[in-house]
Amino acid sequence: MIRKLLVANRGEIARRVFATCRALGVETVAVHSDADAAEPFVGEADQAVRLPGATPAETYLRIEKILDAARRSGADAVHPGYGFLAENAEFAAAVTDAGLTWVGPPAKVIAAMGDKLAAKAMLAEAGVPMLPSWTDTDGISDFPVLVKASAGGGGRGMRIVRDAAGLAEAVASARREAAAAFGDGTVFIERYVERGRHVEVQIFGDAHGRVVALGDRECSIQRRHQKIVEEAPAVVPEQVRTALHEAAVAAGRAVDYLGAGTVEFLLAPGGEFFFLEMNTRLQVEHPVTELCTGLDLVGLQLLVAEGEPLPATLPVSTGHAIEVRLCAEDAGAGWRPATGTLHRFTVPAVAAEFGGLTRPGLRLDSGVVAGSVVGVHYDSMLAKLIAWGRTRAEATRLLSTALARAELHGVTTNRDLLVRVLRSPAFAAVEIDTGFLDRHAEVFAPLLPTDRLPLAALAAALAAAAQRRATAPVLAGLPSGWRNVPAFPQTTRFAVTGGDEIEVRYRLDRAGRLAEWSSTSAASDSADGPEAPEPAVEPSVALVEATPERVVLDVDGVRCAYRVNRVGSAVFVDGPDGAASLAELPRLPLPTAEVAAGSLLAPLPGAVTRVHVQVGQRVTAGEPLLTLEAMKLEHPVLAPTEGVVAELPVPAGGQVQTGAVLAVIDSSPAPGDLEPSNPEEDPR
């Protein structure tokens, strides 16, 4: 029986495993890097061991450091979580060789399924349907195809290729990303199925030879081949569901599977399905299966690891559960990862965390809390929010409403995109597949409409005025900016995400009522210089209440409440239409050093892995200049306009911080582009 369990993972994953351990009376040990020393999972463990080093490769991926931590803490079992080392056969073997209990399938099973090419061949013999695949680029003429990493998962090392011209570069790029993520750059190529759906089956095996299917999940809505919305059960005909379960169990039996695993399939529009891969671990999306079955899958993992059989009777799936992955990234900027301090992290109506939900409601599995610092070393996922309802429509409404009302301050997230996906007619009609986001550009729009941003800015300005009145040493009862004879209104300028600015002007009368207000917005920087402010068409607004944290406005006869949180010059406003992240600008800004025209700045800290151009080279708009790696993903830096590369201050392998100059493009016309002058014309 397991007495003390070390979890060889971090964040939300470790917290999830610890929750089950507390319920079962199992002691826990956390391991952590220096960057994670203050994170919640470290404080929640009974013991914690520091792993020297800064990056994942120096800490969480070092087998000898994990085993040393187990020895020093007295742990008698190791749970790999569901990332990093969870599918590393060498790690599983090292744990068992050290005399510890391994919570997962045996090393030989991990090795067999970890080599996706060998796994496809093995399971094809067991009757599991397969897609045609290739190990090199020779002879491929039927496009599109999908380049995939043979090791690992999570969408890393995957590239869709639609013609022969892009195949070689896609293979090279996939190899680099796979090598960086998994230490193995082997890739293979499969036929790509248009409008395919990603459906998976949760399997479990015990030491007594039993392999069962515990339900299925729909995981088709993905970005960069990584899932962001998952649900259970998958919306498929019952005969298809039965066939999927039978194929998944056959795959498990073919390798004498033990523990939790997931068999992933690609479902074609006609109902035909094909094996994708078997993940020899618990999946990130396992909570939707837990809510529909009432099972604790981590608890079952520990049970099976102790040699016990699976329950003789397994529950029937009830209701519908949907999970979204809340990530620190800017969905509208090519999924650019975001960093910073999470000043506030509040999700309303959450009934349970990491399990324990016994009736329809919301569950939150989070790796962060207010005050957490989001860095560049690890995956961008912050938390998972899961809704369980009697029907799919009920779960969708519950989840989208809670997300929209969440207060997420300090770090850009994909929250707005997730809400728009859940509220889209296509999602409601189950018109979903792995290309959903490519076809529905409308879901990338922010929740807060542009014409409602001035109201959020007005609320921020009025809350600031209330704060000044509350802390005023004299005459605190007078309205902010009040004069016996009205002259000029109060003016507050804010920077808005994307580089724009908005200016709000307002005047309060002697009773504290809003006597007048207006706003203008302008681009703070553009190719042609600052744009002239455009006056907005303002709705009729009356001030109902204003405190430093809450402002209530009557807008055209409709009362609207705004929650305001100020952190330094940053102001976060959550209202009925959406959230706004503003930065109050100083009235008299200090002069700052100017960046050279045409400079491309690093959007976040990272490493320049490749430089594609040379100084003096002429480039076109959209041409790749260099590749920046952050949060374990590659991010191309593209030329914003045609011009000549004037500077490349960072070489390949160089580290950069946010705002560092990566390249300078001189967009002045080339001599040959200038129109010849006419000597017969008199310029006077």
Side-chain angles (χ1 to χ4, degrees), residues 81-402:
Y82 31 97
F84 292 115
L85 295 173
E87 293 182 293
N88 187 311
E90 181 186 354
F91 183 42
V95 169
T96 54
D97 289 346
L100 305 173
T101 298
W102 167 253
V103 182
K108 65 177 183 178
V109 174
I110 297 176
M113 293 298 100
D115 184 341
K116 292 182 174 58
L117 287 170
K120 284 168 67 73
M122 178 191 304
L123 298 185
E125 293 184 4
V128 182
M130 298 287 167
L131 282 167
S133 61
W134 303 266
T135 56
D136 57 51
T137 59
D138 294 339
I140 299 178
S141 58
D142 186 14
F143 289 87
V145 296
L146 182 65
V147 182
K148 300 177 66 175
S150 181
R156 295 182 178 87
M158 295 179 68
R159 303 288 189 276
I160 297 174
V161 185
R162 299 193 176 277
D163 55 57
L167 185 57
E169 172 55 27
V171 169
S173 177
R175 282 175 175 158
R176 285 193 304 271
E177 190 169 286
F182 316 119
D184 183 349
T186 305
V187 300
F188 64 99
I189 304 164
E190 280 184 342
R191 178 166 64 85
Y192 180 70
V193 177
E194 299 281 7
R195 297 290 182 108
R197 290 168 58 186
H198 185 124
V199 179
E200 61 190 32
V201 179
Q202 176 72 63
I203 65 168
F204 242 96
D206 63 22
H208 304 272
R210 188 176 177 210
V211 178
V212 298
L214 296 181
D216 45 79
R217 301 184 284 255
E218 174 79 54
C219 306
S220 295
I221 298 181
Q222 305 176 0
R223 62 98 167 95
R224 300 182 72 164
H225 309 295
Q226 291 183 325
K227 309 160 193 173
I228 58 172
V229 180
E230 303 107 344
E231 52 184 311
V235 184
V236 296
E238 284 307 310
Q239 65 270 24
V240 174
R241 190 186 320 279
T242 299
L244 285 165
H245 288 201
E246 289 174 350
V249 170
R253 287 174 176 161
V255 293
D256 297 324
Y257 200 80
L258 178 69
T262 305
V263 186
E264 301 188 345
F265 297 96
L266 183 67
L267 182 64
E272 189 179 13
F273 62 85
F274 307 94
F275 173 83
L276 287 175
E277 63 185 18
M278 180 190 288
N279 286 309
T280 52
R281 55 181 168 85
L282 203 60
Q283 293 282 87
V284 175
E285 58 272 18
H286 76 274
V288 293
T289 298
E290 291 187 323
L291 292 180
C292 289
T293 62
L295 294 169
D296 181 338
L297 296 186
V298 174
L300 282 185
Q301 283 187 299
L302 300 182
L303 181 80
V304 167
E306 292 175 334
E308 296 296 322
L310 290 165
T313 303
L314 297 171
V316 176
S317 178
T318 60
H320 201 94
I322 306 176
E323 171 184 293
V324 292
R325 302 191 191 190
L326 187 66
C327 299
E329 61 189 14
D330 188 341
W335 310 105
R336 185 175 66 206
T339 58
T341 299
L342 199 59
H343 300 300
R344 182 172 291 178
F345 184 78
T346 304
V347 182
V350 169
E353 295 188 43
F354 304 105
L357 190 61
T358 57
R359 64 179 184 274
L362 284 171
R363 165 177 161 177
L364 178 67
D365 287 17
S366 172
V368 297
V369 295
S372 291
V373 176
V374 180
V376 298
H377 295 304
Y378 309 114
D379 188 272
S380 63
M381 193 179 81
L382 301 175
K384 304 176 307 194
L385 187 62
I386 314 102
W388 179 34
R390 291 168 295 179
T391 65
R392 185 174 186 266
E394 182 180 289
T396 301
R397 182 179 61 192
L398 180 62
L399 184 55
S400 64
T401 301

Side-chain angles (χ1 to χ4, degrees), residues 393-630:
E394 182 180 289
T396 301
R397 182 179 61 192
L398 180 62
L399 184 55
S400 64
T401 301
L403 265 179
R405 293 176 178 173
E407 297 182 11
L408 311 171
H409 300 169
V411 177
T412 302
T413 72
N414 63 340
R415 180 262 302 276
D416 287 12
L417 174 123
L418 295 173
V419 173
R420 287 204 178 274
V421 167
L422 294 171
R423 291 178 175 175
S424 68
F427 183 83
V430 202
E431 295 173 354
I432 54 179
D433 57 67
T434 55
F436 182 92
L437 295 180
D438 295 330
R439 293 193 311 279
H440 293 280
E442 69 276 7
V443 301
F444 289 86
L447 282 179
L448 184 66
T450 303
D451 61 351
R452 305 295 279 187
L453 178 60
L455 292 171
L458 176 62
L462 292 172
Q467 177 66 42
R468 289 192 293 270
R469 287 296 88 200
T471 57
V474 296
L475 302 177
L478 291 180
S480 177
W482 184 81
R483 299 290 186 274
N484 281 320
V485 179
F488 299 103
Q490 297 283 88
T491 301
T492 308
R493 289 189 310 124
F494 297 99
V496 187
T497 302
D500 294 345
E501 293 181 7
I502 186 168
E503 182 176 276
V504 175
R505 295 171 296 280
Y506 67 92
R507 184 172 62 82
L508 303 178
D509 63 19
R510 67 178 64 205
R513 295 185 295 262
L514 187 64
E516 61 176 279
W517 85 287
S518 63
S519 71
T520 55
S521 60
S524 61
D525 189 16
S526 67
D528 299 320
E531 297 178 0
E534 297 182 1
V537 178
E538 314 293 6
S540 174
V541 177
L543 176 59
V544 179
E545 174 190 352
T547 70
E549 295 83 26
R550 186 171 186 266
V551 174
V552 181
L553 303 175
D554 185 299
V555 182
D556 289 333
V558 179
R559 185 166 292 194
C560 303
Y562 296 86
R563 304 180 302 279
V564 181
N565 177 30
R566 187 182 187 99
V567 183
S569 61
V571 188
F572 306 98
V573 183
D574 296 281
D577 303 304
S581 178
L582 309 170
E584 185 172 342
L585 299 173
R587 293 173 184 254
L588 299 172
L590 296 173
T592 58
E594 292 188 3
V595 176
S599 296
L600 279 76
L601 307 182
L604 73 166
V608 174
T609 56
R610 287 184 301 151
V611 178
H612 307 285
V613 295
Q614 298 177 343
V615 172
Q617 180 177 334
R618 185 165 253 321
V619 295
T620 58
E623 185 174 342
L625 303 178
L626 49 89
T627 300
L628 185 68
E629 183 180 299

